[in-house]
Amino acid sequence: LERAMQGAIALTPQLADAMGSIRLAAVPAGWARASQMCSHGLGSWIAELRRRSEQLTKWLHGHRPACFWLGGLFNPQGLLAANRQEVCRGRLKEGWTLGDVVDDVRVLNVDEEDVRKPPEEGVYICGVHLEGGTWDRRLQQLDEPHPTETQAPLPVLHATAALRSAARGGRVASYACPCYANASRDRFLFEVELPSADEPAKWLMRGVAMIASVGKEDG
């Protein structure tokens, strides 16, 4: 982009679009498509990119995150698949195989800053938000959303694996809440059984879901 501005190379339509977007403090369309990040303002997008880089760089140099920011991964499904494989290896003597297990995710009552080390089995996940509802930390159950809040932050999640035949589910007082990679809901990740004082149909009709990467607005 800098070379095009200096006249060293041709100004292509893509570069012209990027230049115009940057002048408006907006994220160029090509950058947004390639990154799959949800922040709308350029400042927030760059901050999110930097946070992504920090998580991956530390991991690359041998510092496995105690708590994974799922929304900061280009391929969160890859982490979940690797997690299932790791759990199966740990349960090899029990005869667990990858084809026999499914994701088993639950909401904990701790925040990201309280996590000091990874769990003995599985991974901790942070940065997930609840859309269409909120989480009652005292009662540990799904609750009505706050009037001014469209997306409510959740505590840390613990993701492990469970045998398909023994997977939790089907409880009357729980809602099988889907989790998606982003707010467009085009990439499904997993389901979490959320305890609820209301019938699951209430939350289903409202479209309540978890979102791994919500993005931010500048300002």
Side-chain angles (χ1 to χ4, degrees):
L1 183 60
E2 185 176 351
R3 293 181 65 198
M5 293 173 65
Q6 294 171 348
I9 61 174
L11 184 63
T12 65
Q14 292 80 8
L15 290 174
D17 174 72
M19 193 180 302
S21 296
I22 291 172
R23 286 199 185 102
L24 298 173
V27 182
W31 297 8
R33 283 193 302 270
S35 68
Q36 297 187 17
M37 294 193 300
C38 299
S39 291
H40 301 293
L42 185 58
S44 297
W45 187 89
I46 291 174
E48 186 176 344
L49 182 64
R50 183 179 293 114
R51 186 183 173 193
R52 272 191 178 196
S53 176
E54 289 173 354
Q55 174 173 251
L56 294 174
T57 300
K58 289 179 181 178
W59 194 6
L60 180 65
H61 288 89
H63 300 285
R64 174 171 171 158
C67 191
F68 284 89
W69 173 38
L70 198 61
L73 299 176
F74 184 81
N75 180 23
Q77 295 99 325
L79 174 68
L80 296 169
N83 181 50
R84 293 193 299 271
Q85 290 177 331
E86 190 173 67
V87 172
C88 285
R89 283 198 298 269
R91 302 270 191 155
L92 196 60
K93 292 183 179 179
E94 299 173 47
W96 285 31
T97 64
L98 191 58
D100 296 330
V101 301
V102 293
D103 291 313
D104 184 18
V105 186
R106 68 185 69 190
V107 181
L108 304 181
N109 199 24
V110 295
D111 295 312
E112 178 185 357
E113 54 268 25
D114 300 322
V115 176
R116 295 289 179 265
K117 60 181 182 178
E120 293 184 4
E121 183 178 88
V123 294
Y124 290 138
I125 293 171
C126 61
V128 179
H129 285 64
L130 194 60
E131 194 169 69
T134 191
W135 182 249
D136 188 321
R137 298 189 66 152
R138 184 178 65 85
L139 298 177
Q140 291 289 286
Q141 67 180 22
L142 190 57
D143 200 0
E144 293 288 339
H146 299 304
T148 59
E149 210 171 36
T150 57
Q151 295 167 329
L154 281 166
V156 169
L157 308 182
H158 179 215
T160 182
L163 289 173
R164 195 180 303 273
S165 58
R168 294 173 297 149
R171 295 178 297 175
V172 174
S174 70
Y175 167 61
C177 184
C179 180
Y180 297 95
N182 51 53
S184 64
R185 304 192 180 192
D186 56 359
R187 286 194 294 161
F188 172 79
L189 299 179
F190 52 76
E191 274 188 355
V192 184
E193 291 284 341
L194 298 182
S196 169
D198 299 297
E199 291 295 321
K202 171 183 175 179
W203 308 112
L204 181 63
M205 293 295 290
R206 289 187 180 183
V208 174
M210 293 181 177
I211 308 297
S213 179
V214 298
K216 294 180 180 180
E217 298 281 358
D218 283 350

